[in-house]
Amino acid sequence: MVTEMSSYWEPWQSLNKKSNHILVKLFISVLFVGLLFRLFFARSSPYLEFSEPPTVATIFDSHKGNPQAEKSNASDAVIPQIPLDINGRDSGKETCDLFSGKWIQDPRGPSYTNTSCPFIEGQQNCMKNGRLDTEYQYWRWKPHGCDIQPFDAKRFLRAMRDKSWAFIGDSILRNHGQSLVCLISQEELPIEVYHDEDFKSRTWHFPSYNFNLSVIWSPFLVKADIFEDDDGVSKSEIQLHLNVLNSKWTKDYHTYDYVMISVGQWFLKTAVYWENNKIVGCHYCPRLNLTERGFDYAYHNVLHSVFRFITKSSHKPLVFYRTWTPDHFEYGEWSTGGICNRTQPYKEGDYNGKDVDHIMYEIELEEFHKAIGNVTENAKHVKLLDTYHLSLLRPDGHPGPYRSFHPFEKDKNAKVQNDCLHWCLPGPIDSWNDLLMRMVVKY
Ligand SMILES: *[C@@H]1O[C@H](CO)[C@@H](O)[C@H](O)[C@H]1NC(C)=O
Ligand SMILES: *[C@@H]1O[C@H](CO)[C@@H](O)[C@H](O)[C@H]1NC(C)=O
Ligand SMILES: *[C@@H]1O[C@H](CO)[C@@H](O)[C@H](O)[C@H]1NC(C)=O
Ligand SMILES: *[C@@H]1O[C@H](CO)[C@@H](O)[C@H](O)[C@H]1NC(C)=O
Ligand SMILES: *[C@@H]1O[C@H](CO)[C@@H](O)[C@H](O)[C@H]1NC(C)=O
Ligand SMILES: *[C@@H]1O[C@H](CO)[C@@H](O)[C@H](O)[C@H]1NC(C)=O
């Protein structure tokens, strides 16, 4: 048992995932309760999502645009009904697998800075917070067999005239959305036309193009009752309704032309699982005398419901499911002093991820393929943005201690909470949008 545990902590080892599956689940569940989230997402900032319950009220109201409106000058945009192979990737002429490749050095660096993009959240503004090394900004993703152009804001906006995007998910998804806002804002500064009370959901409007980008906070995608106090301490287990989709994102679904979805990390928390108004078990709730189902049970079921909704809906925006984001804590985990002090990408094969990464990523692939496999006609508009592998290779892209403002100013040995999960802006996460550009705009 001890050996298995320590092998879980040893990131370099290739792990026998089946044999210690249960152990890992248990272990992870212990790691992800209460305090850790509290430390990580302390309440002092408006951007914290692990600390406060979502408002159940209908808070999202800015999408009255008509997606069927005439495409005035959207000739650049790939319309949703493009041919896809089973992986949800372009078939046609494109034989290049965009998600398999390597990071190569790129002297051009990022197209925005902490000064030219005013929308970077404090906790991801690594430059402002005093991170000194910059090499992590000088790499680009190079797929085997083709090239990815850097994001072209003007072209993107032209293709997105009169369109609306929804980014639906958790804080990493918002991190991704903010990268997109930064990239686009080099061409035109948006107006923030909506935000909820704690800035978890926001909408930006780009006036010259009548283009809207919404980030909608829904970390489970399904109905969830969360009982955390203002400090993120959980007073009771999360009640998760595995087959009731969260209306926060479904109610305006019919108004979006493009949708990006990604969740995952929240499923590792302690929760009671409901189906059809009955409790069916839980994850890590020893005091409740319920059947332990494991977080994989919940993730399978929720993704099934989500993909079912998307494939059955008569409205067919172009939908991307972005795959699991691996973290890069080393020398410990969230709560146990884990850090991420690397300053360069891994080379292929240097790092293979943790057990939880494999488990969650494989569930996503499995549910995605199940959903689009049989119902091909209804699923042509659903794609994977499979950033898992390329993100795995970027331990250097996280804020680490620089999630706080100048953490070592007063004491250079200060013990600070590290963030090795979200991403610095600018940073490697911008490449997710280079890929997105490639997938939605012809060039
Ligand atoms: C974008 O939002 C604005 C303001 O909320 C609205 O007037 C406009 O119709 C929306 N445009 C699209 C394309 O959804
Ligand atoms: C798109 O806009 C350009 C210039 O803004 C114009 O020359 C072109 O004719 C327009 N195309 C369509 C399809 O409206
Ligand atoms: C941007 O980062 C630099 C350090 O790289 C810092 O001196 C400057 O104050 C920051 N500016 C803003 C607006 O955050
Ligand atoms: C736990 O549940 C089982 C089955 O429902 C029941 O037989 C058992 O008595 C319960 N144990 C406790 C301590 O409530
Ligand atoms: C990262 O931190 C570890 C533990 O403190 C140290 O051994 C290692 O040398 C550091 N690596 C770099 C690249 O600074
Ligand atoms: C898809 O096919 C599998 C077996 O090939 C089957 O078990 C499953 O029920 C089918 N799903 C749908 C939605 O038809």
Side-chain angles (χ1 to χ4, degrees):
M1 178 133 165
V2 170
T3 7
E4 281 193 270
M5 280 202 182
S6 50
S7 82
Y8 174 66
W9 291 111
E10 180 51 67
W12 326 122
Q13 230 153 307
S14 93
L15 297 156
N16 180 344
K17 122 165 106 42
K18 298 291 180 233
S19 74
N20 54 14
H21 193 112
I22 304 286
L23 186 64
V24 166
K25 272 197 232 169
L26 185 71
F27 215 54
I28 288 161
S29 54
V30 177
L31 292 174
F32 277 83
V33 266
L35 190 62
L36 321 173
F37 283 92
R38 176 171 66 148
L39 289 173
F40 216 91
F41 297 92
R43 66 192 275 231
S44 46
S45 143
Y47 305 113
L48 311 179
E49 70 167 42
F50 285 94
S51 53
E52 285 158 17
T55 330
V56 186
T58 56
I59 52 172
F60 186 77
D61 64 354
S62 57
H63 279 275
K64 298 289 161 270
N66 175 9
Q68 309 313 339
E70 200 190 359
K71 295 185 195 99
S72 55
N73 203 338
S75 51
D76 276 352
V78 174
I79 52 159
Q81 283 72 24
I82 57 175
L84 302 175
D85 68 15
I86 189 125
N87 295 316
R89 294 166 188 167
D90 296 345
S91 49
K93 305 196 270 315
E94 179 75 82
T95 54
C96 174
D97 180 352
L98 297 176
F99 309 119
S100 142
K102 61 181 177 185
W103 289 96
I104 59 173
Q105 277 180 301
D106 183 357
R108 284 173 299 190
S111 68
Y112 66 93
T113 65
N114 61 326
T115 316
S116 74
C117 178
F119 306 104
I120 306 173
E121 284 190 16
Q123 296 182 347
Q124 283 131 32
N125 201 335
C126 301
M127 303 293 292
K128 182 179 175 184
N129 292 341
R131 181 170 173 176
L132 291 175
D133 65 300
T134 55
E135 192 188 331
Y136 70 95
Q137 299 177 355
Y138 293 86
W139 297 86
R140 72 182 167 89
W141 179 246
K142 167 77 177 75
H144 300 308
C146 64
D147 260 313
I148 299 292
Q149 301 299 314
F151 189 87
D152 181 337
K154 189 174 210 137
R155 213 159 178 173
F156 185 83
L157 276 172
R158 266 198 258 131
M160 292 300 145
R161 189 181 291 283
D162 299 323
K163 300 289 184 211
S164 78
W165 269 90
F167 273 60
I168 302 159
D170 57 21
S171 60
I172 308 172
L173 190 281
R174 187 169 59 234
N175 195 181
H176 179 197
Q178 251 150 8
S179 158
L180 184 56
V181 172
C182 281
L183 290 163
I184 302 173
S185 64
Q186 302 313 294
E187 180 63 24
E188 176 171 68
L189 279 179
I191 302 160
E192 189 182 87
V193 292
Y194 170 78
H195 67 78
D196 64 357
E197 208 176 305
D198 34 24
F199 294 83
K200 292 174 185 166
S201 298
R202 310 169 90 163
T203 299
W204 289 278
H205 175 64
F206 295 80
S208 308
Y209 296 85
N210 185 28
F211 165 59
N212 293 336
L213 174 67
S214 297
V215 172
I216 299 161
W217 189 77
S218 182
F220 288 111
L221 301 174
V222 291
K223 181 168 183 274
D225 304 320
I226 302 171
F227 302 95
E228 288 174 0
D229 66 17
D230 283 352
D231 287 328
V233 178
S234 197
K235 292 193 289 282
S236 183
E237 292 78 10
I238 292 166
Q239 307 291 315
L240 202 57
H241 299 262
L242 302 181
N243 51 16
V244 183
L245 296 178
N246 184 354
S247 61
K248 226 165 149 183
W249 69 273
T250 54
K251 75 187 173 68
D252 288 326
Y253 184 79
H254 63 284
T255 68
Y256 307 129
D257 302 289
Y258 296 88
V259 173
M260 175 71 63
I261 300 178
S262 185
V263 291
Q265 262 73 13
W266 277 70
F267 286 88
L268 307 179
K269 288 187 166 203
T270 294
V272 173
Y273 299 152
W274 294 73
E275 281 170 30
N276 307 318
N277 292 318
K278 281 210 211 57
I279 293 179
V280 294
C282 70
H283 171 53
Y284 198 63
C285 54
R287 69 180 185 87
L288 293 182
N289 192 23
L290 294 173
T291 312
E292 167 65 43
R293 293 282 189 170
F295 59 76
D296 55 337
Y297 177 83
Y299 203 39
H300 268 297
N301 278 276
V302 167
L303 288 184
H304 178 79
S305 306
V306 169
F307 286 130
R308 197 183 144 82
F309 172 83
I310 290 167
T311 52
K312 298 257 177 224
S313 169
S314 61
H315 178 63
K316 306 230 175 284
L318 185 53
V319 178
F320 294 90
Y321 191 85
R322 202 201 75 244
T323 49
W324 171 259
T325 312
D327 71 57
H328 291 95
F329 286 96
E330 289 183 63
Y331 311 101
E333 281 292 326
W334 297 74
S335 58
T336 55
I339 59 169
C340 40
N341 59 351
R342 291 173 188 271
T343 55
Q344 291 184 338
Y346 286 124
K347 291 193 183 61
E348 189 67 48
D350 282 355
Y351 178 55
N352 194 30
K354 301 172 188 177
D355 267 15
V356 66
D357 299 329
H358 297 233
I359 294 166
M360 296 302 269
Y361 178 52
E362 275 164 30
I363 292 171
E364 290 168 346
L365 295 186
E366 195 183 320
E367 290 302 329
F368 178 80
H369 290 296
K370 262 202 313 213
I372 75 155
N374 327 21
V375 284
T376 322
E377 274 313 303
N378 289 331
K380 281 181 175 166
H381 64 299
V382 192
K383 299 176 156 206
L384 280 187
L385 180 61
D386 192 359
T387 51
Y388 171 72
H389 185 70
L390 61 99
S391 304
L392 193 65
L393 299 176
R394 294 307 303 270
D396 53 334
H398 302 288
Y402 299 101
R403 68 187 281 279
S404 349
F405 186 69
H406 291 273
F408 305 113
E409 200 169 41
K410 292 204 186 84
D411 171 6
K412 73 178 170 42
N413 298 314
K415 286 228 176 305
V416 293
Q417 178 64 47
N418 277 240
D419 182 351
C420 304
L421 175 63
H422 299 88
W423 303 87
C424 291
L425 295 180
I429 193 177
D430 296 321
S431 70
W432 297 1
N433 289 315
D434 298 343
L435 286 164
L436 192 62
M437 169 100 189
R438 164 82 177 213
M439 294 171 85
V440 299
V441 182
K442 281 186 258 167
Y443 68 73

